[in-house]
Amino acid sequence: MKKFTCADDIGDIRSAIDEALEIKRDRFAHCDLGKNRTLLMIFFNSSLRTRLSTQKAAINLGMNVIVLDVNQGAWKLETERGVIMDGDKPEHLLEAIPVMGCYCDLIGVRSFAGLKDKAEDYEERVIEQFIRHSGRPVFSMEAATRHPLQSFADLITIEEFKTVRRPKIVMTWAPHPRALPQAVPNSFAEWINKTDYEFVITHPEGYELDPKFVGRAKVEYDRDKAFEGADFIYAKNWSAYNDPNYGKVLSTDRRWTVDSDAMALTDNAYFMHCLPVRRNMIVSDDVIESDRSIVIAEAANREISAQTVLKRFLQEL
Ligand code: AN0
Ligand code: CP
């Protein structure tokens, strides 16, 4: 693996999940694989789970880890080529990236969508520059359009909790006060589309995702209908994708909050969310606290998805 930014980079999904479950059974089995290897994690945006779980995964493999919060203590970085740098940014990404590459064997990058310029976001300008200029293998810790370590952990979690071979998975939009990227729902759809699970996406009109990610999913605008017979409810907010509303909040309608009445329509479904989650916007207190909520197990599997990906990189270094 030279990079890990999308579902295709992991290859066969069945063998990836099997490898992850094997790692989960003994997460210290490869504790020497990362000896004298250094992981550099670069954060352009905040994180709790990704930061901790990826660092823990690297430690399980015997790696050294360096973490840089670009917005805390580093020089402000210019990202556009051709800019006359007479403003507040003393360093250009085009020098910073190869310099970062000098100090490590592997680089993880978190860089969210700006939600202003759709072309810029969907070209994945920041992480693509790391891939091109760092001289190191690069993996996404959530980039502009995808969050593959999250989706991989989601699939591992579904594999652990499903009781039928082909569960019905429903991804539902839910309200949120601020504009959020489409990365998590895009990526979840991309990974679920690699399985043969029944897959339904439900959202208010105007929240259609890029058809490239929706793929074979059935889009159902009637949320109650979508929830019928569901085995897993995957809640997430995202901002509008389609022009002219790209990156905008079109609705904060709390009838879309996942509450116990909505969950009662399902086939006793499990509730999933990548976290962080705003209670009583996305999901009611009672649903997230119920015994059908598997959000903590899902977060725990972030260590496992990260370790599987890091192990594959290390084996090829
Ligand atoms: C981010 C998002 O929606 O992409 C990160 C989720 C893992 N969420 C927030 O910014 C609240
Ligand atoms: N789910 C997830 O990626 O969480 P963080 O933003 O806290 O890393």
Side-chain angles (χ1 to χ4, degrees):
M1 226 172 18
K2 287 280 159 277
K3 66 163 185 86
F4 176 74
T5 61
C6 63
D8 280 345
D9 293 332
I10 203 75
D12 179 61
I13 197 75
R14 186 65 255 173
S15 45
I17 291 174
D18 288 345
E19 190 176 335
L21 294 173
E22 196 182 313
I23 286 170
K24 192 163 180 174
R25 281 190 288 275
D26 180 4
R27 64 193 78 195
F28 303 109
H30 304 276
C31 60
D32 290 327
L33 190 63
K35 190 164 184 280
N36 296 335
R37 297 291 190 186
T38 300
L39 167 65
L40 174 59
M41 295 163 62
I42 314 276
F43 288 93
F44 288 87
N45 306 95
S46 305
S47 166
L48 186 154
R49 279 142 292 274
T50 304
R51 175 185 303 254
L52 297 178
S53 63
T54 311
Q55 186 158 356
K56 176 64 164 61
I59 293 169
N60 294 348
L61 291 164
M63 297 187 85
N64 301 310
V65 184
I66 312 175
V67 184
L68 179 69
D69 284 296
V70 172
N71 299 319
Q72 279 173 22
W75 301 109
K76 265 196 175 172
L77 295 174
E78 177 57 61
T79 55
E80 293 300 312
R81 196 169 168 280
V83 168
I84 298 168
M85 288 173 59
D86 61 355
D88 64 339
K89 295 173 180 163
E91 178 147 31
H92 203 287
L93 204 57
L94 288 171
E95 283 76 53
I97 290 175
V99 168
M100 292 177 198
C102 296
Y103 309 138
C104 63
D105 301 285
L106 188 58
I107 303 184
V109 180
R110 165 162 286 202
S111 174
F112 289 175
L115 296 178
K116 290 195 172 66
D117 182 336
K118 180 162 149 181
E120 183 177 323
D121 289 343
Y122 275 71
E123 279 166 23
E124 288 286 6
R125 226 170 263 179
V126 174
I127 198 160
E128 282 300 324
Q129 293 198 69
F130 274 89
I131 291 168
R132 211 167 307 138
H133 303 297
S134 69
R136 302 292 173 203
V138 169
F139 64 95
S140 164
M141 301 196 297
E142 187 173 338
T145 64
R146 294 175 176 87
H147 192 0
L149 285 173
Q150 180 65 50
S151 313
F152 187 11
D154 296 336
L155 253 64
I156 297 165
T157 311
I158 291 170
E159 177 68 22
E160 290 178 322
F161 282 88
K162 74 183 166 88
T163 52
V164 291
R165 202 197 63 74
R166 201 170 157 265
K168 177 176 175 181
I169 318 283
V170 178
M171 179 167 82
T172 180
W173 179 92
H176 189 275
R178 300 209 184 127
L180 294 182
Q182 297 99 34
V184 171
N186 282 348
S187 202
F188 184 71
E190 185 177 65
W191 285 67
I192 292 294
N193 277 324
K194 288 192 76 152
T195 72
D196 66 351
Y197 303 159
E198 186 180 346
F199 185 33
V200 177
I201 303 176
T202 184
H203 55 70
E205 300 223 11
Y207 278 101
E208 292 76 15
L209 293 164
D210 182 346
K212 178 173 111 181
F213 293 103
V214 173
R216 65 175 179 86
K218 180 177 191 302
V219 176
E220 171 59 69
Y221 292 98
D222 181 338
R223 187 186 71 166
D224 287 359
K225 225 165 134 189
F227 272 42
E228 274 169 26
D231 297 298
F232 291 87
I233 297 297
Y234 191 92
K236 184 72 185 84
N237 172 268
W238 61 88
S239 59
Y241 167 75
N242 280 330
D243 293 323
N245 292 322
Y246 179 72
K248 292 207 173 83
V249 174
L250 305 179
S251 164
T252 50
D253 184 352
R254 287 183 48 233
R255 282 176 304 180
W256 282 80
T257 302
V258 179
D259 59 13
S260 50
D261 287 345
M263 290 301 284
L265 300 168
T266 70
D267 191 3
N268 199 22
Y270 286 110
F271 175 82
M272 298 180 73
H273 189 280
C274 65
L275 308 181
V277 73
R278 289 187 187 240
R279 284 178 174 224
N280 305 310
M281 286 296 297
I282 303 276
V283 58
S284 64
D285 287 316
D286 55 345
V287 168
I288 198 165
E289 290 169 3
S290 77
D291 60 3
R292 304 307 284 177
S293 168
I294 55 173
V295 295
I296 306 302
E298 187 183 353
N301 279 331
R302 290 294 308 276
E303 178 182 342
I304 306 305
S305 65
Q307 196 171 330
T308 310
V309 169
L310 292 178
K311 173 173 166 273
R312 288 192 176 189
F313 276 123
L314 288 170
Q315 283 167 336
E316 286 181 29
L317 277 181

